[in-house]
Amino acid sequence: MVILGTEIPQENIVMVESCIKQKGVKGTNFSSPAGFILLGFSDQPQLGTIFLLVVSIVYVLTLVGNTAIILVSYLNPKLHKSMYFFLSNLSFLDLCLTTSIVPRMLWNLKGPEKTISYTGCVIQLYVALGLGSTECLLLTVMAYDHFSAICRPLHYGVIMHPNLLWHLAAVAWISGFVESMVQTLLVFQLPLCSHHRVDDFMCKEPALIKITCVNTTFLENELSRAIVLYVVIPLGLILVSYGCIARSVLRTKSTEGRRKAFGTCGSHPLVVVLFFGTIIFGVITLVIN
């Protein structure tokens, strides 16, 4: 069987068919479940209260900060440049990403029932994966923009022309959500165990893989491929870009030139470290477990 170009091993199909034929199979449900139970801090409610307060504050600050960046970049004609164009895209993406996860998380932390519907879980996984993949690509494009501004200043206006900006942004958004669609379809076409207990705060692919009732080697391989395409390669390109930038800055003898270079890069390196550092930590934890 082939789904979106991915071949599913015959042993999985045979296993599912044999389970369906057996009446009275315990712990397995091959129909779409009504919903999922998100465990999170369910075993430590005191930590859940603290987490609720912290996440609420961070969420409000995120909404205010990103909205301000988008409005200022749009309303100030002096900021109609490639750097702020991609920054606005990144701010809008962060607004969507946090809004797709945090409100439901806060609701579950506040109430006794920490659940999410089947449809809600599908949408949350699809949106979160799509936005996460898009952010990896946008951060890479922003690194290339900084590289062009510092290492190719005389050709910067020709390289980063308006049409290219829109094309790069479109490629990042479209490819991110296409990959997310593939991963989401692969996850939810597998039979799930009947308890539907997801050991996380949200519907994440690794947590959902754990509650499937068949061999998931092919899905894990697909996840590894996605990590290489959307994490390893973009991070490598970012590191190469900043390596060239560092070499160019060190060659600059002017203090004013170095100050402008650091001003051009801004807080982008810090965002890269935090974002990709979180992903790498998650991957390492997944491998260890």
Side-chain angles (χ1 to χ4, degrees), residues 37-40 42 197-202 207-208 210-211:
I37 300 174
L38 303 176
L39 298 181
S42 57
R197 296 177 181 271
V198 179
D199 189 16
D200 214 311
F201 302 99
M202 57 174 288
L208 291 170
K210 289 182 180 180
I211 63 173

Side-chain angles (χ1 to χ4, degrees), residues 267-286:
S267 59
H268 181 261
L270 178 60
V271 175
V272 169
V273 171
L274 292 176
F275 182 74
F276 282 97
T278 302
I279 295 177
I280 293 173
F281 176 78
V283 172
I284 293 175
T285 303
L286 179 63

Side-chain angles (χ1 to χ4, degrees), residues 75-116:
L75 296 176
N76 191 342
K78 294 182 179 180
L79 301 182
H80 292 177
K81 301 176 182 179
S82 60
M83 180 190 305
Y84 297 99
F85 172 78
F86 291 123
L87 183 60
S88 297
N89 270 266
L90 190 63
S91 296
F92 177 71
L93 186 150
D94 285 339
L95 281 176
C96 296
L97 183 59
T98 53
T99 303
S100 68
I101 298 173
V102 175
R104 187 71 205 183
M105 181 189 298
L106 294 177
W107 178 264
N108 287 340
L109 288 172
K110 180 182 178 181
E113 295 185 1
K114 307 181 186 304
T115 60
I116 186 172

Side-chain angles (χ1 to χ4, degrees), residues 85-86 89 134 137-138 141 163-178:
F85 172 78
F86 291 123
N89 270 266
T134 302
L137 299 180
L138 279 179
V141 172
N163 289 336
L164 180 61
L165 302 184
W166 285 100
H167 290 160
L168 289 174
V171 168
W173 283 92
I174 293 172
S175 61
F177 277 94
V178 168

Side-chain angles (χ1 to χ4, degrees), residues 24-85:
V25 176
K26 296 182 180 180
T28 306
N29 181 12
F30 295 96
S31 60
S32 299
F36 297 90
I37 300 174
L38 303 176
L39 298 181
F41 282 130
S42 57
D43 57 337
Q44 296 178 320
Q46 67 278 7
L47 292 180
T49 303
I50 299 174
F51 195 61
L52 173 65
L53 179 60
V54 173
V55 172
S56 300
I57 295 173
V58 173
Y59 180 53
V60 172
L61 293 176
T62 300
L63 292 180
V64 174
N66 285 305
T67 303
I69 291 174
I70 295 173
L71 291 177
V72 171
S73 300
Y74 178 77
L75 296 176
N76 191 342
K78 294 182 179 180
L79 301 182
H80 292 177
K81 301 176 182 179
S82 60
M83 180 190 305
Y84 297 99
F85 172 78

Side-chain angles (χ1 to χ4, degrees), residues 11 29 44 61 89 119 125 128 136 142 166 204 207 239 257 261 285:
E11 60 180 13
N29 181 12
Q44 296 178 320
L61 293 176
N89 270 266
T119 303
L125 178 64
C136 291
M142 293 176 72
W166 285 100
K204 289 184 180 178
L239 293 177
T285 303

Side-chain angles (χ1 to χ4, degrees), residues 4 6 125-126 129 133 177-189 205 209 219-227:
L4 294 177
T6 302
L125 178 64
Y126 172 69
L129 284 177
S133 301
F177 277 94
V178 168
E179 176 62 27
S180 175
M181 180 180 296
V182 173
Q183 295 294 326
T184 303
L185 290 175
L186 289 175
V187 169
F188 285 98
Q189 58 87 29
E205 187 171 357
I209 290 176
L219 187 54
E220 293 170 2
N221 291 336
E222 283 298 306
L223 181 58
S224 300
R225 178 190 62 82
I227 291 174

